[in-house]
Amino acid sequence: MKRALRNLLFYAALIGAWALLARLRVWPPYLFPTPWGVAEAIWAGFADHSFWIAIGVSMRRMLLGYGLSVVLGIALGMSVAGSRFLDQTLGGLLVSLQSLPSICWLPIAVLWFGLSEKAILFVVVMGSLLSVTISMETGRKQLPKIYSMAGRNLGARGLKLFLNVTLPASLPYIVTGLKQGWAFAWRSLISGEMIFVTLGLGQLLMMGRDLNDMSQVVAVMILIVALGYIVDGLVFKTIERLLEQRWGLAAS
Amino acid sequence: MNANFPHPAPQPTPDKSSLPIVHRKPPRAAVMVPLPGTPAAWPKVSLKKVCLRYRTNGSAPLEALKNIDLEVRSGEFLCVVGPSGCGKSTLLHLIAGLERQTSGEITINNRAVQGTGTDRILIFQELGLFPWLTVAQNVGFGMRMKGVPKPERESRIREYLRLVHLSQFKASYIHQLSGGMRQRVALARALATEPDVLLMDEPFAALDAQTRDLLHDELERIWAETGRTIVFVTHNVREAVRLGDRVLLLTFRPGQIKREYPVVLPRPRHLEDVHVAGAAREILNDLRAEIDKSLEAEYGDEARA
């Protein structure tokens, strides 16, 4: 309660200071938007459906791209953890590739796929694949052997063993990586959309710039932050709570 | 009659009382004789000249088990004791099919063991219960893997939870249970797949004395009710005498069968019973020599000082 009050005061003060600065016209309005202008832009954006459409398009790309990189990352991480050869070769490459900002894959994506949905998916996948892979790999290595032995002993083998034992057992170890992967995917998507792809939140942001509409730029930025926050709070917090409840530990 | 094993209360059956309580060196054939009423033509579990060697880097291969010849009757409760490092857990892993012997043959119901199979379930020392599943889901896991249809699965889950007195905890997660309760979940999970043979690897080692006593009683009751064949590994000789029809002593590395001790004390037995203690002392004397060997291997010269 106290915390909520503190936050309320903090944001009220922040918006107040913003309003004051805007009122004083230290900078011209096309460089420094007013809070009411931004609020109006958010309202207008939802009213004429342009925000809804952008959210829909961006989320669809996220789900496809992130989903793909989770599946690929788990498969790749498992193989790297399971093979000494892959671990010593590909493992090192994966770690070093992590230092490459995902937007650097954009030129390749455009040359391979043109200005298309496939190109943006490629960038999103490349943005999150590595963190999912690496966390799956370390998770698999840390996983106590007893679970798979117990699973085999009870008649689980191959894919059944993987789906019913290895994967759920490693979830606490990889949830951090999945979360990080989501954040990376989100960043890659917005950057990609800003640079070349039609529709989506990134493009809406650039449209604001093209129209010199600072209110819209800030409105879309707020939207992007809010969406990230909601997904984190709804999806990942739920997973973490579930893990905590089942395993009886604070999920890492 | 063996002086070290005072006979307990007078036996009602004359043929039983004429047997010595513990054979010092029982003839092999005696073990093979089926009990009256057990028609099995072959032993439930049979090991013939089973050896296991581990390859090590550079030095000579490590001989974990050597020439194990063993037969377990259907419905028998066999206990295996030995110093740590004698390969008694490994022996269970081999029977379970989690590891493969270097040479020799292992059969269950006269069929050679090929990998794991639900005709024999191992209860691990660390239990290996699945924390992401509820108690009921843990118990049903083996059946689900086998493809037992859901209605039957659920009725069997109920049945086995009742058997281990955990019906009220079916929706709990593992971390919410005490050590003894977890132990019982593991037992129910193993029994629910209805294996012919139950393999237990020091299952009660981590429990406090009271809980362990209680679980001894329960295990004995469940064994009597279900008629399962049990191979029970422990380092606690008294526990072995308390539970087993027969106790097997393994030597320190390489693990070999040093001696067998049929336990012909009437059930239910008590851990604190003089006869149990007496029988245990006899085995313990033989075990001590092996423990000394294992200490020497571990600490070298320090052990002798």
Side-chain angles (χ1 to χ4, degrees):
Chain A
M1 199 53 224
K2 218 169 173 183
R3 197 184 146 156
L5 193 71
R6 245 182 232 153
N7 267 305
L8 196 72
L9 281 174
F10 170 73
Y11 283 106
L14 198 68
I15 293 170
W18 176 15
L20 191 71
L21 274 175
R23 233 314 132 61
L24 291 173
R25 287 182 169 269
V26 182
W27 300 280
Y30 61 86
L31 289 185
F32 195 81
T34 59
W36 45 93
V38 170
E40 217 172 287
I42 292 175
W43 179 260
F46 281 114
D48 71 4
H49 298 293
S50 61
F51 278 17
W52 289 121
I53 292 166
I55 290 172
V57 169
S58 290
M59 277 309 186
R60 207 181 73 93
R61 287 173 182 155
M62 270 303 277
L63 289 180
L64 276 175
Y66 179 67
L68 205 62
S69 79
V70 167
V71 173
L72 285 176
I74 286 175
L76 205 58
M78 286 287 296
S79 343
V80 171
S83 142
R84 237 174 101 90
F85 174 76
L86 283 181
D87 188 25
Q88 286 171 352
T89 52
L90 190 59
L93 179 66
L94 289 174
V95 173
S96 55
L97 274 180
Q98 235 193 345
S99 63
L100 189 68
S102 64
I103 203 67
C104 298
W105 292 99
L106 189 88
I108 292 187
V110 172
L111 287 174
W112 281 355
F113 303 110
L115 293 173
S116 68
E117 286 294 312
K118 277 188 200 147
I120 193 81
L121 281 184
F122 181 76
V123 173
V124 172
V125 168
M126 290 320 289
S128 54
L129 180 65
L130 291 176
S131 48
V132 176
T133 304
I134 288 167
S135 77
M136 184 69 217
E137 179 202 331
T138 44
R140 181 74 188 80
K141 282 183 189 160
Q142 285 169 7
L143 192 68
K145 260 201 183 135
I146 182 80
Y147 293 128
S148 74
M149 283 212 294
R152 275 162 61 207
N153 179 42
L154 289 162
R157 264 163 225 221
L159 191 64
K160 256 189 187 173
L161 182 71
F162 173 72
L163 290 177
N164 289 296
V165 178
T166 314
L167 202 57
S170 42
L171 200 54
Y173 300 93
I174 62 173
V175 70
T176 318
L178 289 177
K179 206 165 133 174
Q180 194 187 39
W182 174 271
F184 283 162
W186 189 228
R187 285 165 210 198
S188 316
L189 174 77
I190 302 292
S191 334
E193 284 180 345
M194 280 174 70
I195 293 175
F196 77 103
V197 181
T198 52
L199 298 173
L201 289 163
Q203 202 224 5
L204 217 52
L205 201 60
M206 288 313 273
M207 208 151 76
R209 193 209 72 159
D210 293 341
L211 299 173
N212 256 351
D213 185 348
M214 193 48 113
S215 295
Q216 177 167 344
V217 169
V218 174
V220 175
M221 283 169 71
I222 290 174
L223 199 61
I224 290 168
V225 171
L227 276 176
Y229 188 79
I230 288 169
V231 168
D232 187 63
L234 284 185
V235 181
F236 290 103
K237 285 280 186 322
T238 310
I239 294 178
E240 280 169 345
R241 211 174 32 244
L242 214 71
L243 285 176
E244 205 172 315
Q245 185 193 335
R246 296 190 170 192
W247 291 69
L249 43 83
S252 46
Chain B
M1 194 167 295
N2 197 317
N4 282 336
F5 290 88
H7 202 286
Q11 289 281 340
T13 43
D15 60 320
K16 254 194 176 176
S17 65
S18 65
L19 280 170
I21 292 153
V22 168
H23 294 284
R24 287 223 142 219
K25 270 179 190 155
R28 279 230 143 254
V31 178
M32 278 297 300
V33 174
L35 289 179
T38 35
W42 50 71
K44 198 77 185 164
V45 183
S46 153
L47 283 77
K48 286 200 187 81
K49 291 209 171 306
V50 169
C51 299
L52 180 70
R53 279 180 295 274
Y54 289 116
R55 247 184 281 278
T56 48
N57 292 333
S59 58
L62 180 71
E63 217 169 8
L65 291 170
K66 193 176 168 188
N67 286 334
I68 304 282
D69 276 311
L70 172 64
E71 265 151 7
V72 190
R73 285 190 314 268
S74 179
E76 189 184 12
F77 200 133
L78 174 73
C79 290
V80 181
V81 296
S84 56
C86 72
K88 46 192 198 295
S89 295
T90 312
L91 187 69
L92 289 190
H93 282 218
L94 288 180
I95 301 175
L98 289 165
E99 284 178 67
R100 183 137 184 83
Q101 67 272 23
T102 317
S103 63
E105 195 191 24
I106 302 177
T107 59
I108 310 281
N109 289 328
N110 220 15
R111 281 211 316 270
V113 164
Q114 298 281 344
T116 54
T118 43
D119 50 351
R120 63 223 119 91
I121 297 293
L122 171 61
I123 299 181
F124 298 89
Q125 189 177 354
E126 323 81 308
L127 302 184
L129 294 170
F130 300 139
W132 60 93
L133 299 178
T134 62
V135 167
Q137 287 167 334
N138 264 286
V139 174
F141 186 87
M143 289 188 273
R144 194 153 59 86
M145 292 303 109
K146 253 176 153 179
V148 176
K150 201 168 180 195
E152 191 194 331
R153 216 158 70 205
E154 283 179 351
S155 80
R156 253 154 81 178
I157 290 172
R158 268 197 302 280
E159 180 191 333
Y160 283 101
L161 281 178
R162 202 166 334 126
L163 191 70
V164 298
H165 304 309
L166 279 176
S167 299
Q168 293 159 32
F169 294 94
K170 59 176 191 289
S172 303
Y173 287 101
I174 304 307
H175 74 97
Q176 298 167 315
L177 307 179
S178 69
M181 285 155 93
R182 285 176 202 192
Q183 194 48 253
R184 276 157 33 205
V185 177
L187 189 59
R189 181 172 77 168
L191 288 169
T193 47
E194 311 212 314
D196 282 346
V197 183
L198 202 56
L199 308 165
M200 304 179 80
D201 188 4
E202 303 205 26
F204 305 144
L207 298 177
D208 60 273
Q210 287 90 333
T211 312
R212 196 191 52 208
D213 287 355
L214 209 72
L215 284 169
H216 283 162
D217 296 344
E218 286 202 25
L219 180 62
E220 194 168 48
R221 172 180 64 82
I222 289 165
W223 170 67
E225 274 177 39
T226 59
R228 296 275 175 261
T229 308
I230 298 181
V231 182
F232 187 105
V233 158
T234 177
H235 64 266
N236 184 337
V237 175
R238 230 189 244 208
E239 181 175 70
V241 176
R242 156 77 184 83
L243 292 168
D245 290 331
R246 184 160 53 120
V247 178
L248 210 68
L249 174 62
L250 291 192
T251 61
F252 180 67
R253 212 171 290 150
Q256 281 172 292
I257 296 176
K258 186 169 183 176
R259 194 174 283 176
E260 297 180 0
Y261 311 80
V263 185
V264 199
L265 299 170
R267 293 177 188 271
R269 303 170 192 148
H270 273 277
L271 208 58
E272 307 304 329
D273 196 281
V274 243
H275 306 302
V276 170
R281 198 174 313 120
E282 168 87 10
I283 301 173
L284 206 57
N285 285 338
D286 291 343
L287 174 59
R288 188 139 301 146
E290 296 304 318
I291 293 176
D292 287 344
K293 272 195 249 167
S294 76
L295 286 180
E296 197 157 319
E298 254 179 67
Y299 301 110
D301 293 338
E302 285 173 51
R304 264 176 247 130

